[in-house]
Amino acid sequence: MSVHNRSRYSRYRGGPDPLAPPVDLAEALDAVAEDVMAGYSPRHALQEYLRRGGRSREGLDDLAARVQQRRRDLLGRHKLDGTLNEVQKLLDTAVLEERKQLARDAMMDNTDRAFREMQLQNLPRSTAAAVNELASYDWQSSTAREAYERIKDLLGREVLDQRFAGMKQALENATDEDIAAVNEMLQDLNELLDKHRRGEDTDADFQNFMAKHGQFFPENPQSVEELIDALAQRAAAAQRMLQSMTREQREELMNLSAQAFGSPQLMAQLGQLDDNLRALRPGEDWTGSERFEGEEGLGLGDGTGVLQDLAELDELSEQLSQSYNGSSLDDLDLDALARQLGQDAAVTARTLAEIEKAMHDGGFLHRGADGDLRLSPQSMRRLGRALLRDTAKQLSSRQGHRDTRVAGAAGEQTGSSRPWEFGDAEPWDVTRTITNAIRRTIAGGGDPGHGLRLAADDIEVAETEARTQAAVVLLVDVSFSMAAQGRWVPMKRTALALHHLISTRFRGDRLQLITFGRYAQTTDIGELTALPPFQTKGTNLHHGLLLAGRFFRKHPSMQPVLLVVTDGEPTAHLLADGDTWFDYPPDPETIRVTIAELDRLGRAATQVTFFRLGDDPGLERFVQRMARRVGGRMVAPETDDLGAAVVGEYLRAHFRGRPYGESDWVK
């Protein structure tokens, strides 16, 4: 292979990796759903997940902590006397070399030598004052003269590096022509900014300026506004650096600046530049300061760069906090994050942003009628499937359980078939279905040999032995004690698992969810999942039983099945005027009307199961008597086992069998 035809490979840097697998939302969705069931809004739940991160992924809080650590490292490592120290070293070198030269020069007049030595001996202690005093000194040592000239060169490069990053290196060993070019650039820049302040500049003015002086601006701004932004951020950081110094350091540098390149015009142009930038960008932080506590000295240019880093870290901290109105992870400056924390941090942030976007755009969250975000039906189905899977594992792990399939089979096949109807869960009769499709295709003039398309009318299902359909009511206690005792989320998980089971496996059955606290009300699974914990007291089982009876009467041909989840005795009942009566301990009238409504359901052959939560002996005796009155059952599961208990009871009632080894878990 020719050398010229060889390919070179490196890390892809053009944005997200185009070959990377799509982001996995499973963990995020599970975490968001869990928090929603605990009472968080979906928006808050998503924000919390993004803050915490996943099992193997950093979150926003982790990135924010790294930003703060980076900030502490910068302040704890550096101090701002680098330029002063360099100037002092060069000054000491110049004075020492001059003294050596005076001692060696035997031809010098003794009076002149003594005067020079006295002048050197009595230099001011202030570095700036000493440098200024030696400005007119006639150096006898060429080495000393060179060291002194390097002071002016260093000061000039540092002063320019404060405003234009990279100038310190670019102007090393600068010639008079280089200095003249800088002065000309500054003059043209101030003229451009003056015109812009007055609104008199044109795009051609900017283009001409960049064509002439573009080498001084590696940022390659595309407009005068971008140019001003870059210059103002740097100039404001330079001001904050000066204000972060001690008063003595600041005064020394201000006095030394007069020696920059030995050019007073340079300092005048820089002063005008600062004035223009302050007027054009008053919103920049021109007055702040930082406290540096390290030992590593920084020059003016490098120190200004560190102040810019600190400002960038502060912006990243605000972006990562997501605490401002309208915040979004799209606001994150990934380039800045990569500069400050490394590419891995930018990848993490990009992934979190993709998760946020996918949760909104991928149909996992939707906006309800009230304008708030809610879990979408897609999310509810996925969560219900996962909860039902967990419930099945709990059921199958019980000692003495039989293998119970929950595929919705309707019994043994009879050998006959019938047209499919919506809600049927019976297996297809494939032979009859294909035959129907062939007949329909031929009748329409088509050729079955060129392929078949099935229509809904073609489908036939295998008939099975008759199965009783059920009207199921899940009554769940939403009184304050349910939330206070940690039973709120298990209650919701139970409802969601049962809802998913019936809606996907036993679609011929009907399910009604009813919550009862001070009042009772029917609810759908989405509303129940998003229901926040209530702070009001009251357990109005009476109202809940009234609503259950109304639902059963709407489905007279179905077997009524009532599942009641509660952790307290009835303490409220519904009055004739629709108001509610609450008292604790339970009022006898509350007990009377509740039992009367339960008896009414019992006379309608309702299969009743109470799920008692907690260890209150009084509640146990009361619920046990309630169950016995209607030939029902009482189950006392552990809170984490509630879902398996409710689903197991539903299946037992549905198949009219006892396949679950009740002695292991029924009291």
Side-chain angles (χ1 to χ4, degrees):
M1 178 188 292
S2 168
V3 173
H4 298 290
N5 292 330
R6 290 179 181 172
S7 299
R8 299 182 65 184
Y9 298 91
S10 62
R11 183 182 297 274
Y12 178 74
R13 301 184 183 278
D17 184 353
L19 301 180
V23 63
D24 182 10
L25 295 178
E27 182 183 14
L29 183 57
D30 290 345
V32 168
E34 192 73 14
D35 282 349
V36 167
M37 289 193 291
Y40 290 98
S41 69
R43 184 191 307 279
H44 190 186
L46 177 57
Q47 290 174 342
E48 284 299 305
Y49 173 76
L50 296 174
R51 294 179 70 86
R52 294 193 306 264
R55 289 185 295 270
S56 58
R57 179 186 298 112
E58 287 183 306
L60 297 178
D61 284 349
D62 298 308
L63 294 177
R66 289 175 60 185
V67 165
Q68 291 304 313
Q69 185 59 51
R70 164 81 170 149
R71 198 181 199 286
R72 288 192 294 270
D73 289 345
L74 289 175
L75 292 173
R77 184 191 317 151
H78 299 297
K79 57 182 178 179
L80 302 179
D81 60 355
T83 297
L84 290 175
N85 287 340
E86 284 191 68
V87 170
Q88 185 64 57
K89 289 178 182 178
L90 290 171
L91 179 62
D92 291 343
T93 298
V95 171
L96 178 61
E97 291 299 324
E98 181 68 5
R99 284 175 174 167
K100 289 179 181 179
Q101 182 62 35
L102 293 176
R104 289 193 299 265
D105 194 348
M107 303 298 293
M108 180 176 289
D109 180 76
N110 288 336
T111 301
D112 187 27
R113 180 187 293 112
F115 177 77
R116 290 176 180 275
E117 288 176 346
M118 182 179 65
Q119 190 176 1
L120 296 176
Q121 182 67 31
N122 295 319
L123 286 173
R125 296 184 62 182
S126 164
T127 302
V131 170
N132 287 332
E133 185 167 315
L134 292 171
S136 59
Y137 182 82
D138 182 17
W139 298 92
Q140 301 300 301
S141 167
S142 59
T143 304
R145 182 184 300 107
E146 180 182 348
Y148 183 80
E149 292 298 324
R150 285 171 59 195
I151 291 176
K152 294 190 291 184
D153 176 73
L154 171 66
L155 289 170
R157 291 188 292 121
E158 286 281 18
V159 166
L160 285 172
D161 205 35
Q162 277 192 295
R163 276 73 170 188
F164 307 92
M167 280 288 197
K168 183 177 180 180
Q169 293 75 27
L171 293 178
E172 192 168 8
N173 301 318
T175 65
D176 291 340
E177 289 77 11
D178 294 329
I179 305 305
V182 170
N183 272 310
E184 185 180 8
M185 180 272 291
L186 288 172
Q187 183 175 350
D188 291 348
L189 177 59
N190 279 318
E191 289 178 1
L192 176 64
L193 298 185
D194 280 336
K195 291 182 68 174
H196 188 72
R197 287 176 63 180
R198 298 191 303 269
E200 298 173 358
D201 64 316
T202 65
D203 185 59
D205 291 330
F206 171 74
Q207 297 298 336
N208 292 336
F209 174 82
M210 290 300 296
K212 185 176 181 181
H213 303 295
Q215 71 273 18
F216 292 105
F217 303 94
E219 304 91 347
N220 192 27
Q222 298 301 302
S223 67
V224 69
E225 295 293 343
E226 288 187 13
L227 175 65
I228 294 170
D229 284 340
L231 291 173
Q233 290 168 8
R234 184 79 177 177
Q239 289 299 312
R240 294 196 301 275
M241 179 188 175
L242 290 175
Q243 285 146 199
S244 301
M245 294 177 173
T246 66
R247 182 174 59 83
E248 292 79 8
Q249 289 174 329
R250 191 160 49 247
E251 289 177 354
E252 287 281 274
L253 283 172
M254 295 302 292
N255 291 329
L256 282 170
S257 297
Q259 296 296 328
F261 290 133
S263 173
Q265 296 85 356
L266 175 68
M267 296 308 299
Q269 291 286 358
L270 289 175
Q272 184 181 351
L273 175 61
D274 286 345
D275 291 341
N276 279 324
L277 293 174
R278 278 178 179 269
L280 290 166
R281 291 294 184 269
E284 292 288 340
D285 183 5
W286 297 94
T287 60
S289 63
E290 299 288 351
R291 183 177 178 181
F292 288 83
E293 300 176 334
E295 297 297 326
E296 184 179 323
L298 289 173
L300 297 182
D302 290 339
T304 299
V306 168
L307 266 295
Q308 280 190 288
D309 283 341
L310 292 172
E312 190 167 70
L313 289 167
D314 289 341
E315 290 181 9
L316 287 172
S317 183
E318 182 178 7
Q319 293 166 11
L320 290 168
S321 74
Q322 294 286 285
S323 58
Y324 49 92
N325 291 334
S327 60
S328 165
L329 291 190
D330 287 340
D331 301 339
L332 285 179
D333 187 338
L334 298 181
D335 291 335
L337 202 59
R339 280 194 300 271
Q340 298 298 336
L341 301 184
Q343 192 63 36
D344 65 310
V347 171
T348 296
R350 183 184 296 117
T351 302
L352 292 173
E354 289 174 356
I355 290 174
E356 180 185 51
K357 181 176 177 60
M359 290 289 286
H360 285 283
D361 299 346
F364 296 100
L365 298 176
H366 73 103
R367 199 167 298 279
D370 56 2
D372 289 337
L373 287 177
R374 296 184 181 276
L375 292 178
S376 68
Q378 177 185 353
S379 298
M380 300 294 294
R381 286 193 298 272
R382 188 190 180 287
L383 181 58
R385 183 167 58 250
L387 293 174
L388 186 59
R389 190 182 306 115
D390 292 342
T391 299
K393 290 179 181 178
Q394 287 179 291
L395 283 171
S396 63
S397 65
R398 294 181 181 279
Q399 185 176 359
H401 284 192
R402 295 209 304 261
D403 178 20
T404 303
R405 302 183 182 274
V406 291
E412 296 296 327
Q413 296 186 13
T414 63
S416 301
S417 64
R418 60 177 176 80
W420 172 84
E421 296 178 358
F422 179 79
D424 283 338
E426 290 82 1
W428 285 14
D429 186 324
V430 177
T431 302
R432 297 285 300 176
T433 298
I434 298 300
T435 300
N436 291 340
I438 292 174
R439 288 174 176 171
R440 179 178 53 78
T441 301
I442 293 175
D447 182 1
H450 288 82
L452 291 174
R453 284 184 177 272
L454 289 181
D457 292 341
D458 298 331
I459 302 172
E460 294 199 20
V461 295
E463 278 195 337
T464 59
E465 295 175 353
R467 182 194 71 187
T468 301
Q469 291 181 320
V472 184
V473 170
L474 178 62
L475 265 173
V476 290
D477 187 345
V478 293
S479 61
F480 175 70
S481 59
M482 288 287 287
Q485 298 298 323
R487 297 161 185 155
W488 198 260
V489 173
M491 174 269 291
K492 291 184 177 183
R493 294 171 65 91
T494 297
L496 192 51
L498 181 64
H499 175 271
H500 186 75
L501 173 63
I502 293 176
S503 62
T504 61
R505 302 296 188 180
F506 297 100
R507 288 177 291 180
D509 290 354
R510 295 293 177 264
L511 173 65
Q512 179 68 71
L513 301 174
I514 299 176
T515 62
F516 62 100
R518 182 68 69 96
Y519 287 91
Q521 63 179 13
T522 59
T523 184
D524 62 38
I525 190 61
E527 293 171 336
L528 179 60
T529 302
L531 192 68
F534 290 120
Q535 298 296 318
T536 56
K537 297 180 180 179
T539 306
N540 197 339
L541 179 59
H542 169 246
H543 192 187
L545 294 175
L546 286 170
L547 295 179
R550 181 185 304 171
F551 176 75
F552 291 144
R553 288 191 292 274
K554 290 181 178 178
H555 302 87
S557 64
M558 294 185 175
Q559 170 62 47
V561 176
L562 177 64
L563 307 172
V564 183
V565 177
T566 185
D567 68 348
E569 298 176 64
T571 57
H573 67 276
L574 200 65
L575 300 175
D577 60 2
D579 203 354
T580 184
W581 175 268
F582 168 76
D583 196 12
Y584 184 85
D587 188 295
E589 179 64 12
T590 297
I591 301 299
R592 187 190 69 77
V593 297
T594 300
I595 291 177
E597 192 59 37
L598 181 66
D599 288 343
R600 187 175 293 108
L601 293 177
R603 289 192 294 272
T606 304
Q607 297 184 40
V608 180
T609 304
F610 287 91
F611 300 88
R612 175 182 61 80
L613 301 177
D615 299 322
D616 180 13
L619 176 64
E620 179 180 3
R621 290 191 297 271
F622 177 79
V623 174
Q624 190 69 267
R625 289 197 296 269
M626 294 265 287
R628 287 173 180 168
R629 287 183 67 92
V630 292
R633 294 154 53 83
M634 183 191 77
V635 180
E638 295 295 329
T639 302
D640 291 340
D641 206 25
L642 178 62
V646 170
V647 169
E649 277 299 296
Y650 162 72
L651 292 174
R652 187 193 67 81
H654 189 89
F655 289 107
R656 296 177 178 273
R658 299 173 61 85
Y660 298 104
E662 294 90 346
S663 60
D664 293 336
W665 51 287
V666 176
K667 296 183 180 179

